[in-house]
Amino acid sequence: MSFVVTWGPNIFGFADFIRGLMFLKEYYPTHQIYTFFESPFDQLFESIVKITPSIQKLFVREKSSLPADPSGMQIVCNIYPSNSASMDFTKYFTLKQNVLTRIEELTPKYPFISVHFRSGDKHLRKNGKCAFHDNLVELEKIEKVIDELELGNVVFHTDNFELKEKIKYKTLKITPVHVADCSELSENLINTVAEFFVISKAEKVFVLINSESSNLPGRFSTFAARIGGKELVEILIS
């Protein structure tokens, strides 16, 4: 049996797309896996195969580590896999040249450590700036935690516009977007996907988790670390 992993608007985020691939690789290692990108994401990646009736599609939304029924004619999404090793994605998809160029432009030309703080999808859906105190974390607290880690060359990643502007650490000068909401190609969409791969190139990846928030640690950086084969460290902000 073959599976096709489809990624398009209003389905799920990029980390969920990666998570779905990891799930299939882990539970169905002998099955053929293909990828198909709907517009506008087909302008970021090279599609491997067109969807045909002969290719099964699998879709599981619930938070489960158990394999789903492979006979379902649906789409892969939102799977929580076990801690499988990093995988080579080049046989599932390749990035288009303009995205590869953007990754190179955004990646520091020196060894660096990525630190990621996720405010949450709701902030990305707001117009204009969003206040970082909505997530009950003060700027000074975040900077203090990073200072105490003594990491060296830090690149700070966040989906929070105000925090990105005010924090003293280096950030990528881009405006992140909620990828699943994108219905057309834009510089912000290209930059957001490129930032994922920049994180994968860090020497080590740290994820800051707010103890006063119900937000999960950012899967964006979690899976970026895994595809890069980099160590991931979760740090609680209390």
Side-chain angles (χ1 to χ4, degrees):
M1 180 178 292
S2 299
F3 296 107
V4 60
V5 183
T6 302
W7 188 38
N10 302 314
I11 298 179
F12 45 87
F14 185 59
D16 295 318
F17 163 71
I18 298 296
R19 184 169 50 177
L21 281 178
M22 285 184 166
F23 172 83
L24 285 182
K25 173 180 177 288
E26 181 168 343
Y27 285 109
Y28 304 105
T30 62
H31 292 63
Q32 185 65 50
I33 303 172
Y34 301 94
T35 51
F36 178 79
F37 300 96
E38 299 176 0
S39 179
F41 304 140
D42 58 348
Q43 300 176 64
L44 299 172
F45 301 91
E46 301 290 352
S47 297
I48 304 300
V49 65
K50 292 183 178 179
I51 296 177
T52 68
S54 63
I55 296 178
Q56 299 287 338
K57 293 185 291 180
L58 176 70
F59 179 53
V60 180
R61 295 196 74 95
E62 67 272 13
K63 299 178 180 179
S64 171
S65 61
L66 300 176
D69 178 5
S71 64
M73 288 292 292
Q74 298 175 330
I75 308 171
V76 170
C77 169
N78 238 9
I79 310 298
Y80 283 78
S82 61
N83 295 322
S84 57
S86 59
M87 60 186 291
D88 178 13
F89 286 92
T90 57
K91 65 180 179 180
Y92 301 116
F93 64 82
T94 55
L95 296 164
K96 291 200 171 180
Q97 186 57 51
N98 63 323
V99 184
L100 290 171
T101 300
R102 188 61 51 82
I103 295 170
E104 183 177 359
E105 292 170 348
L106 292 175
T107 302
K109 303 302 188 277
Y110 49 82
F112 66 98
I113 302 293
S114 282
V115 178
H116 180 224
F117 176 77
R118 178 180 183 269
S119 294
D121 294 345
K122 67 177 182 179
H123 293 305
L124 285 173
R125 292 189 167 104
K126 288 182 178 180
N127 292 322
K129 297 180 180 179
C130 55
F132 56 82
H133 52 73
D134 285 352
N135 201 19
L136 303 177
V137 174
E138 299 173 356
L139 173 64
E140 292 76 14
K141 262 188 186 179
I142 294 176
E143 291 184 336
K144 182 176 183 291
V145 167
I146 300 175
D147 285 345
E148 290 176 349
L149 292 172
E150 298 181 345
L151 299 177
N153 293 320
V154 168
V155 178
F156 185 79
H157 309 268
T158 183
D159 53 6
N160 191 307
F161 304 140
E162 185 174 351
L163 179 55
K164 181 188 283 280
E165 288 185 351
K166 291 185 176 181
I167 199 158
K168 66 182 181 180
Y169 293 100
K170 175 181 173 61
T171 61
L172 303 185
K173 303 306 179 185
I174 64 171
T175 299
V177 293
H178 188 264
V179 172
D181 292 342
C182 297
S183 58
E184 59 184 29
L185 186 68
S186 67
E187 288 298 303
N188 291 338
L189 174 57
I190 294 173
N191 287 337
T192 299
V193 172
E195 184 170 25
F196 178 89
F197 290 97
V198 171
I199 294 174
S200 75
K201 295 177 180 293
E203 292 191 310
K204 186 183 289 189
V205 180
F206 287 78
V207 180
L208 304 183
I209 303 172
N210 182 9
S211 62
E212 300 179 43
S213 170
S214 60
N215 279 341
L216 293 170
R219 291 191 295 269
F220 191 81
S221 54
T222 299
F223 285 90
R226 287 181 63 179
I227 71 167
K230 306 301 170 58
E231 181 182 356
L232 178 75
V233 181
E234 296 182 355
I235 302 294
L236 188 67
I237 304 175
S238 57

